[in-house]
Amino acid sequence: MHKAVDEMGIQSTFRGYGPEQGYDFLREAVKGYYKKHNVDLELDEIFISGEYEKNGDGTKRYRRMAELKSVELVFERAKSDLGNILDLFAKDNTVLVPDPVYPVYVDTNIMAGREVQFIDANGENEFLPLPDKNVKADIIYICSPNNPTGAVYNKEQLKEWVDYAHKNKAIILFDSAYECFISDKNLPRSIYEIEGAKDCAIEFCSLSKTAGFTGTRCGYTIVPENLGNLNKMWVRRQTTKFNGVPYIVQRGAEAVFSEEGQKEIAENIAYYKENAKVISDTLTECGIWFTGGKHSPYIWLRCPNNMKSWEFFDYLLNNAQIVGTPGAGFGRNGEGYFRLTSFGSKENTKEAMKRFKNLFKA
Ligand code: PLP
């Protein structure tokens, strides 16, 4: 990245707008990464993403510039690829979203005026709902490993969704933002590990969780050529509304996929997994039901003593000064549940779990 910064200071090596789909050096790196998991991709199927957010946060200077020029303010973010893909679909397409789940899927569709149907994820199906043949949908969101529940679909379960999509001529929007946390080789990191998925699925991934790109912003979206018009329409959409992720950031992302980068990431993820184990062990000791924490940074627990999500939030905050995320924020079925994260320091995690144990150990 530092080298790329230097290059940007010299006229002959300066890089400006585009290519909107991303530089080939990074698309090649993503292709190589998928190949390691036995998925073959063409370069034209890989789109490097960072996205514009209208009227999003910007520095004071840019906000002032926008005021003066009275232009719409746009800043880059990655998460919106998940919402902007909806530019490709008709308004009357119906959408199927698991409940609970990462709220972006629901909110973006509601904003676009689309009808959303929910499929129940709960303790009975271990937060991994399977298709219901009586429900018809055109667009299906799947997030695995899941935010917030940490649950991961196995290959057989994902195959059921792929078969359902084929039968209903539906498209799966598969969010694999947490794939790097999967340590069991038998669990799929990409939906394209499932036969037939390239004919019915678009995949979204992010370097935010893999390599801490929450500040630099970079991810990638896979739109298979088998999806025909959708691939071409996405090219058109991106070239119309987007000028590409900055060169410096893409060089940083390329480093993530290098041998050294992968080694450093593995160490980082191992660190968070140790935190997840400290949390899981504490919950087991306290006799509290939970999922996740194994192939995910998140631990999803049932609030003790039948407390509601926000009641538990207040209780933890007031009695142990621990902060977590109330499950109710992720959907109706999240009520009565709570999400803890392993994205913290080892010291803080241990201290928090010591206090947790003092409160709940029988
Ligand atoms: N998908 C899921 C399931 C997430 O939890 C998040 C962030 O929390 C994202 C996508 C967004 O990733 P990015 O940082 O690339 O916008």
Side-chain angles (χ1 to χ4, degrees):
M1 262 181 122
H2 285 283
K3 188 169 164 274
V5 172
D6 292 340
E7 285 175 46
M8 292 294 274
I10 300 167
Q11 195 177 15
S12 59
T13 49
F14 171 82
R15 315 273 187 128
Y17 285 146
E20 293 87 347
Q21 296 94 323
Y23 287 103
D24 278 358
F25 63 77
L26 181 52
R27 298 164 95 196
E28 287 284 3
V30 172
K31 183 177 161 156
Y33 183 70
Y34 272 80
K35 184 78 195 156
K36 276 198 220 157
H37 303 117
N38 301 317
V39 172
D40 288 312
L41 295 178
E42 300 299 328
L43 278 204
D44 287 346
E45 298 178 316
I46 302 167
F47 297 81
I48 304 305
S49 59
E51 191 49 273
Y52 293 130
E53 185 197 13
K54 281 185 191 162
N55 302 318
D57 287 344
T59 62
K60 225 172 169 182
R61 182 168 154 252
Y62 284 120
R63 277 201 291 273
R64 182 75 190 126
M65 269 165 57
E67 265 167 41
L68 291 176
K69 292 187 182 167
S70 68
V71 292
E72 238 178 4
L73 195 52
V74 286
F75 288 92
E76 293 230 342
R77 297 189 79 175
K79 141 189 184 180
S80 22
D81 250 22
L82 277 158
N84 286 334
I85 198 81
L86 298 175
D87 277 2
L88 312 191
F89 298 99
K91 275 252 156 57
D92 60 359
N93 281 167
T94 54
V95 182
L96 188 63
V97 180
D99 173 359
V101 86
Y102 183 51
V104 169
Y105 317 148
V106 176
D107 296 354
T108 48
N109 275 289
I110 300 288
M111 285 176 204
R114 242 178 232 102
E115 188 193 324
V116 176
Q117 303 178 76
F118 293 98
I119 179 156
D120 285 330
N122 49 38
E124 273 155 47
N125 55 30
E126 297 183 356
F127 290 94
L128 293 169
L130 291 172
D132 175 346
K133 61 178 183 330
N134 299 315
V135 173
K136 286 270 302 161
D138 303 307
I139 303 168
I140 303 151
Y141 283 87
I142 299 178
C143 179
S144 177
N146 189 275
N147 178 12
T149 69
V152 190
Y153 280 108
N154 65 30
K155 286 187 179 159
E156 292 69 36
Q157 291 165 325
L158 272 192
K159 178 82 172 96
E160 285 195 41
W161 278 112
V162 168
D163 290 346
Y164 170 88
H166 278 293
K167 209 163 169 196
N168 288 283
K169 297 191 169 46
I171 291 286
I172 295 174
L173 303 182
F174 188 77
D175 187 344
S176 63
Y178 297 92
E179 57 82 27
C180 61
F181 280 84
I182 295 181
S183 44
D184 181 340
K185 285 198 165 45
N186 296 317
L187 291 172
R189 286 169 164 245
S190 160
I191 192 155
Y192 304 123
E193 291 179 47
I194 311 303
E195 203 193 326
K198 267 194 136 187
D199 301 325
C200 66
I202 294 174
E203 182 161 298
F204 304 84
C205 199
S206 163
L207 295 182
S208 291
K209 323 294 166 180
T210 308
F213 265 58
T214 47
T216 29
R217 318 295 305 149
C218 197
Y220 43 94
T221 296
I222 313 295
V223 188
E225 284 177 338
N226 292 9
L227 299 180
N229 285 345
L230 287 183
N231 176 284
K232 290 185 179 54
M233 283 161 71
W234 186 240
V235 172
R236 184 62 206 229
R237 191 259 170 222
Q238 291 298 79
T239 49
T240 304
K241 294 192 178 178
F242 183 49
N243 277 327
V245 175
Y247 174 67
I248 297 168
V249 173
Q250 292 198 49
R251 280 294 184 199
E254 182 192 28
V256 169
F257 295 103
S258 67
E259 204 176 308
E260 198 186 334
Q262 290 290 298
K263 197 172 146 263
E264 285 177 16
I265 283 161
E267 283 164 16
N268 242 352
I269 289 168
Y271 179 96
Y272 291 131
K273 284 199 167 191
E274 265 179 48
N275 284 347
K277 183 156 177 357
V278 171
I279 299 171
S280 308
D281 287 350
T282 305
L283 296 177
T284 306
E285 247 184 88
C286 297
I288 295 173
W289 185 96
F290 68 95
T291 59
K294 255 196 184 148
H295 303 289
S296 153
Y298 300 129
I299 291 97
W300 178 250
L301 61 101
R302 190 177 289 138
C303 301
N305 308 324
N306 288 325
M307 272 189 255
K308 295 205 161 200
S309 297
W310 277 104
E311 204 183 336
F312 186 59
F313 175 88
D314 288 339
Y315 185 81
L316 268 190
L317 183 62
N318 291 325
N319 294 288
Q321 290 74 54
I322 298 171
V323 175
T325 311
F330 297 97
R332 194 174 50 91
N333 289 337
E335 183 56 278
Y337 290 88
F338 202 76
R339 193 191 74 179
L340 290 175
T341 177
S342 63
F343 284 136
S345 73
K346 191 190 279 185
E347 295 70 33
N348 285 351
T349 306
K350 281 191 171 158
E351 173 62 27
M353 288 303 104
K354 197 170 100 192
R355 295 184 198 171
F356 193 100
K357 224 185 288 186
N358 284 342
L359 278 184
F360 294 109
K361 196 157 175 212

